[in-house]
Amino acid sequence: QDPSQLSLDYYLKTCPDAQKIVRAEMECAVKEDPRNAAAILRLHFHDCFVQGCDGSVLLDDTITLKGEKEAAQNVNSLIGFDLIDRIKNQLESQCPGTVSCADLLAIAARDATLLVGGPYWDVPVGRKDAKTTSLELANSDIPAPNQGLIALMTKFLEKGLSVTDLVALIGAHTIGMARCVSFRERIYGDFELTSHLDPTSEIYLGKLKETCPVRGGDDNIAAMDYVTPYVFDNAFYQSLVKGDGLLNSDQEMYSSLVGFATSDLVKTYASDPLAFFKQFSDSMVKMGNITNPEGGEVRTNCRFVNT
Ligand code: HEM
Ligand SMILES: [Ca+2]
Ligand SMILES: [Ca+2]
């Protein structure tokens, strides 16, 4: 599939209410629990980085197909699959077999952003759902929180995304939570590449250590943006400038010794929320254009390929 095949009016005739249906379900879910916004935004990212945005991340393991849910960055971490099922059921009841799970996820990720105060952008649609998955690529291509700037840049460049896209897209961490296992090395400062956490308040670091002891509590969670964990704003970048990034990978954008370009971008987004919103929108469209050249189908159940 060629990204130029995506268009804004793909479902205009076949499912004119597709956008409305997704929005209504997302509105309900985010009102119920704003974490749902973070969950869906992340799912779209983890989808697009493996075989392109083709709904591969949504497939369950079966006897004949090994999905991506057990991949290192996904297991015990990705959430929101039930919400995707709920939205898909609504779409199927109104326009059976029409809207792909990959498109559903791309639209829902935009709505997630918008519903917690972030920017709106038009989502090009027409993606097909994969009939295959790649646990291997999920393990190798999805970035990890203990990685340094060069490795992170490389992973984005390999997907056709620029350094600017990297710094803007990581701003998604302005919402949502991370587990203790994802930031333990960072807060105890024993990770070689770490730019050491230098919280403006000792209280912040102390609280993190309470949440995440040296041993145990692996699944305890903390907000990546402790200022406004459920508002999509630029507070995340302001914290990076103070040295308060929760993940090593986040702080790398500002503190890496090789990150002249990235630290300038962080400073720009920290002081200019509209510049961040504009770039985030553009970069999300770009990430959403990573397509699977194999093409595929429109799944009726996002967890399983059609029989
Ligand atoms: C350098 C690239 C990135 C790295 C290393 C990274 C890593 C992580 C990690 C470790 C977590 C916490 C997971 C856990 O502890 O269970 C997380 C959460 C999250 N990530 Fe990223 N991420 C990156 C880029 C992105 C991008 C591009 C997006 C979306 C556009 C994104 C959206 C999110 C969201 C919304 C959450 C919170 C999820 C929740 O609350 O359930 N991340 N990320
Ligand atoms: Ca995928
Ligand atoms: Ca925020």
Side-chain angles (χ1 to χ4, degrees):
Q1 229 185 345
D2 181 332
S4 63
Q5 289 175 290
L6 302 184
S7 67
L8 295 180
D9 56 5
Y10 189 82
Y11 296 116
L12 193 66
K13 296 225 168 71
T14 52
C15 195
D17 286 338
Q19 301 259 351
K20 262 188 239 163
I21 296 166
V22 176
R23 176 72 57 85
E25 290 297 320
M26 282 302 292
E27 234 167 59
C28 204
V30 172
K31 213 172 276 174
E32 202 177 277
D33 181 355
R35 177 93 188 269
N36 282 321
I40 300 303
L41 185 53
R42 185 163 186 240
L43 276 181
H44 181 50
F45 165 52
H46 285 215
D47 184 20
C48 295
F49 263 57
V50 182
Q51 303 184 155
C53 317
D54 60 359
S56 61
V57 70
L58 302 174
L59 289 169
D60 278 351
D61 287 350
T62 66
I63 301 168
T64 50
L65 181 138
K66 185 102 189 85
E68 296 163 9
K69 293 182 180 179
E70 297 295 313
Q73 299 305 316
N74 292 345
V75 69
N76 298 325
S77 182
L78 288 184
I79 53 173
F81 297 107
D82 296 342
L83 173 53
I84 297 297
D85 291 341
R86 215 177 317 152
I87 301 171
K88 181 61 173 171
N89 285 338
Q90 287 299 320
L91 287 170
E92 285 300 303
S93 72
Q94 304 231 10
C95 335
T98 306
V99 181
S100 67
C101 297
D103 279 345
L104 182 176
L105 199 46
I107 299 166
R110 188 273 319 277
D111 288 345
T113 306
L114 185 69
L115 287 165
V116 291
Y120 172 91
W121 63 91
D122 287 319
V123 180
V125 286
R127 297 170 189 78
K128 290 286 186 283
D129 295 325
K131 296 184 197 178
T132 61
T133 59
S134 181
L135 179 59
E136 221 175 16
L137 286 178
N139 277 319
S140 61
D141 290 7
I142 299 172
N146 58 358
Q147 287 188 300
L149 184 60
I150 300 289
L152 299 169
M153 281 177 172
T154 305
K155 287 193 166 173
F156 274 66
L157 292 174
E158 280 170 357
K159 301 293 166 194
L161 298 172
S162 69
V163 170
T164 304
D165 294 320
L166 166 63
V167 180
L169 287 172
I170 215 168
H173 291 173
T174 187
I175 58 170
M177 312 296 284
R179 288 167 308 145
C180 166
V181 282
S182 304
F183 61 85
R184 181 182 280 121
E185 288 172 304
R186 165 104 174 110
I187 59 172
Y188 292 100
D190 58 355
F191 184 68
E192 283 176 28
L193 291 174
T194 295
S195 33
H196 288 278
L197 195 70
D198 177 27
T200 29
S201 85
E202 284 296 318
I203 302 164
Y204 175 49
L205 186 55
K207 274 201 179 135
L208 287 177
K209 287 181 173 172
E210 252 171 57
T211 304
C212 188
V214 177
R215 270 182 211 83
D218 285 5
D219 291 328
N220 295 350
I221 54 174
M224 288 180 287
D225 174 5
Y226 67 96
V227 182
T228 52
Y230 289 119
V231 180
F232 196 101
D233 57 6
N234 67 336
F236 169 77
Y237 294 104
Q238 294 169 351
S239 295
L240 295 186
V241 170
K242 292 185 195 150
D244 284 355
L246 181 65
L247 303 182
N248 183 72
S249 45
D250 291 344
Q251 193 59 48
E252 280 282 292
M253 299 300 137
Y254 185 73
S255 305
S256 166
L257 295 174
V258 293
F260 304 108
T262 58
S263 58
D264 279 352
L265 286 165
V266 169
K267 277 185 263 181
T268 301
Y269 301 150
S271 65
D272 186 351
L274 289 181
F276 165 48
F277 277 21
K278 174 77 178 72
Q279 188 57 55
F280 186 80
S281 305
D282 290 351
S283 296
M284 283 295 286
V285 171
K286 212 169 145 189
M287 184 176 83
N289 280 342
I290 310 173
T291 39
N292 181 337
E294 305 274 311
E297 61 183 8
V298 172
R299 259 176 241 153
T300 53
N301 179 336
C302 293
R303 292 175 185 269
F304 304 103
V305 296
N306 295 339
T307 47

